[in-house]
């Protein structure tokens, strides 16, 4: 028994700490008990949460939690000096440390391989471990230093406050990317968890768990992964259905994590900004990036697009800035030609949409379609985004072309009924996922009000029901969140 407990509590690469595991549930219950005991002891509470957050990261990436400490300490000290002496060199030093760590762990093999190809050398990729969530906490820490330099934020008063902010475990490994200006004012406020916060937090945890463990994991294991692993073995209709499946899978996986992160933070008395807002209901690609991974898209806008000049240097430069920004956004997701193509396609689409909106239709940015035009706009945007996911999901550029070729030249529509009937549970779950995605917001708001009236009992019943459903369909294998790799 002792050995089993030690095994559970120590780091294992194939068993990362996930919100959807029983271990996290048990640890979180114990954590919450101590957290509430420290309700009136602010410093001890901050120390306790920070220590738990570092343990949480240790369970995800082992002793690479030292990187988190390096980024935290260096940026805290640099920001303190920046508040008194504005210096671009200090900002450059912060970027060198943060982007240097990110570049080494994430891009060394990519650029070394490119260089080897250019000089005709045989390159064997080095065995470099990618710490979970390094992109998220480095971007979060970088934004803090830049905001202090710009004068938009005062430095946090203590290293403990800053360590608490950077390491706060709900959003540590997969976002949302929380800005210091939004989070810092909450750190030293008296702990207060209202009935509305408790019911909303419970709802988000339950719905996030359902999205991840029921919808995303089930359709991934039982259909989507099989198609993407060997697209040439399947007909075009199966490949197309696999792409529709992945479109739903990545949304449910990532938004499910964000929902649980925001819900857990609410139960601890903290508010995070929304990270997803029904992105497949978007009327345009511009609207999509206002709804998808909102914390990252707004970060890229504020710290890359605006730094490049934004829309201040003429229309042509604005379009170029959009494309460069999205290319860098694609590269942020991974060192792969597929990600660069994915980002480039979105960048070009954003530039084209902006030009057409202003020069052909003469619409301002607040314009909204109506009726049939609204439906056609949503369908066009959805299918463009879905097409781009082909490059995002496949490991190689060749596999993406193989899948597209199968859809275009080897479709076999007569197999549709056979495929759907053979995988009827998968497609029933996919249908449920898409239908709930397009459910009007007012129905969700009504359910939340009912849940708030029901109090703790109703919230507990909801979570227990979802956990029961998860147990019935969950695979014995641990399915990490997709965005852990970024």
């Amino acid at each position: 028994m002792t050995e089993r407990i030690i095994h559970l509590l120590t780091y294992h690469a194939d068993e990362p700490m996930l919100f959807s595991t029983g271990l996290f549930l048990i640890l979180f219950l114990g954590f919450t008990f101590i957290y509430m005991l420290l309700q009136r002891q602010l410093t001890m509470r901050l120390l306790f949460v920070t220590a738990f957050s570092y343990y949480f990261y240790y369970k995800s990436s082992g002793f690479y939690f030292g990187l988190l400490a390096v980024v935290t300490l260096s940026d805290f000290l640099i920001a303190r000096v920046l508040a008194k002496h504005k210096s671009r060199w200090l900002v450059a030093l912060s970027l060198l440390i943060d982007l240097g760590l990110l570049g080494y762990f994430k891009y060394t093999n990519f650029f070394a391989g490119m260089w080897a190809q250019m000089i005709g050398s045989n390159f064997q990729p080095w065995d470099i471990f990618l710490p979970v969530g390094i992109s998220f906490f480095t971007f979060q820490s970088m934004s803090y230093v830049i905001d202090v330099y710009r004068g938009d934020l005062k430095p946090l008063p203590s290293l403990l406050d800053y360590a608490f902010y950077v390491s706060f475990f709900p959003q540590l490994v997969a976002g949302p990317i929380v800005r210091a200006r939004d989070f810092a004012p909450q750190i030293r406020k008296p702990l207060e968890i209202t009935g509305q916060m408790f019911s909303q937090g419970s709802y988000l945890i339950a719905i996030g768990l359902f999205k991840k463990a029921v919808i995303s994991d089930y359709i991934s294991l039982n259909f989507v992964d099989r198609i993407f692993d060997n697209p040439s073995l399947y007909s075009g209709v199966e490949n197309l259905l696999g792409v529709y499946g992945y479109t739903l899978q990545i949304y449910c996986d990532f938004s499910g994590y964000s929902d649980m992160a925001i819900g857990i933070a609410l139960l601890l008395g903290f508010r995070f900004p929304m990270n997803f807002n029904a992105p497949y209901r978007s009327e345009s690609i511009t609207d999509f990036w206002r709804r998808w991974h909102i914390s990252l898209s707004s970060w890229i806008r504020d710290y890359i697009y605006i730094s490049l000049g934004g829309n201040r240097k003429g229309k042509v430069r604005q379009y170029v800035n959009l494309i460069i920004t999205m290319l860098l956004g694609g590269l942020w997701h991974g060192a792969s030609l597929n990600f660069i193509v994915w980002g480039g396609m979105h960048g070009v689409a954003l530039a084209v949409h902006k030009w057409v909106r202003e020069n052909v239709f003469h619409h301002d940015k607040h314009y909204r379609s109506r009726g049939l035009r609204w439906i056609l706009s949503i369908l066009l945007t959805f299918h463009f985004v879905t097409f781009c996911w082909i490059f995002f999901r496949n490991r190689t550029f060749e596999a993406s072309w193989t899948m597209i070729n199968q859809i275009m030249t080897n479709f076999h529509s007569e197999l549709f009924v056979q495929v759907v009937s053979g995988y009827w549970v998968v497609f029933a779950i996919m249908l449920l996922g898409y239908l709930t995605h397009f459910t009007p917001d007012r129905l969700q708001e009504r359910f939340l009000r009912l849940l708030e009236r029901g109090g703790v009992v109703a919230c507990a019943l909801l979570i227990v029901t979802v956990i029961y459903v998860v147990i019935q369909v969950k695979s014995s294998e641990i399915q990490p969140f997709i965005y852990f790799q970024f």
Side-chain angles (χ1 to χ4, degrees), residues 90-126:
L90 286 174
V91 178
L93 176 61
S94 171
L95 295 178
L96 179 65
I97 295 170
D98 296 345
L99 295 179
L101 288 172
L102 186 61
Y104 171 75
F105 287 101
K106 200 165 185 178
Y107 303 107
T108 297
N109 281 323
F110 178 67
F111 289 112
M114 288 180 60
W115 175 252
Q117 279 189 329
M118 291 171 60
I119 64 175
S121 175
N122 183 27
F123 175 71
Q124 295 297 325
W126 300 325

Side-chain angles (χ1 to χ4, degrees), residues 139-332:
F139 270 33
Q140 190 160 293
S141 194
M142 282 164 54
S143 68
Y144 168 76
V145 172
I146 295 170
D147 283 349
V148 171
Y149 172 74
R150 290 175 174 177
D152 297 333
L153 179 71
K154 292 182 179 179
L156 270 67
S158 71
L159 179 59
L160 175 59
D161 286 45
Y162 189 63
F164 179 90
Y165 156 65
V166 176
S167 68
F168 192 49
F169 72 91
Q171 47 79 49
L172 174 59
V173 294
I177 301 172
V178 182
R179 308 286 183 90
R181 61 173 175 259
D182 297 323
F183 190 81
Q186 303 181 62
I187 294 176
R188 292 190 171 270
K189 285 177 62 177
L191 179 59
E192 180 183 16
I193 304 169
T194 64
Q196 187 268 341
M197 291 174 71
F198 187 85
S199 60
Q200 186 179 3
S202 300
Y203 170 77
L204 288 171
I205 291 170
I207 202 69
L209 184 59
F210 187 85
K211 284 181 182 178
K212 165 61 178 171
V214 177
I215 299 178
S216 177
D217 286 356
Y218 190 87
I219 65 176
S220 168
L221 286 171
N222 294 284
F223 186 72
V224 174
D225 287 352
R226 300 176 189 179
I227 304 297
F228 276 89
D229 287 345
N230 293 287
S232 62
L233 299 181
Y234 296 91
S235 66
V237 70
E238 289 167 299
N239 275 273
L240 181 60
L241 291 170
V243 175
Y244 284 138
Y246 183 71
T247 299
L248 180 64
Q249 178 200 341
I250 190 171
Y251 166 73
C252 288
D253 190 283
F254 193 18
S255 71
Y257 184 95
S258 293
D259 288 344
M260 285 188 275
I262 296 169
I264 290 169
L266 281 169
L267 296 187
L268 300 179
F270 294 87
R271 294 185 182 275
F272 287 170
M274 179 189 296
N275 205 28
F276 288 87
N277 182 20
Y280 297 144
R281 283 194 251 160
S282 304
E283 300 176 33
S284 66
I285 193 63
T286 303
D287 190 27
F288 174 80
W289 281 105
R290 294 192 189 110
R291 294 167 174 265
W292 176 274
H293 201 351
I294 299 168
S295 63
L296 176 63
S297 57
S298 63
W299 195 100
I300 291 173
R301 179 198 64 209
D302 292 347
Y303 300 105
I304 298 180
Y305 176 69
I306 290 176
S307 297
L308 289 171
N311 57 4
R312 303 187 304 275
K313 299 187 177 182
K315 290 298 180 182
V316 174
R317 178 66 180 274
Q318 181 183 12
Y319 302 145
V320 172
N321 289 341
L322 280 171
I323 294 171
I324 292 173
T325 299
M326 292 310 298
L327 282 170
L328 292 173
L331 191 61
W332 175 86

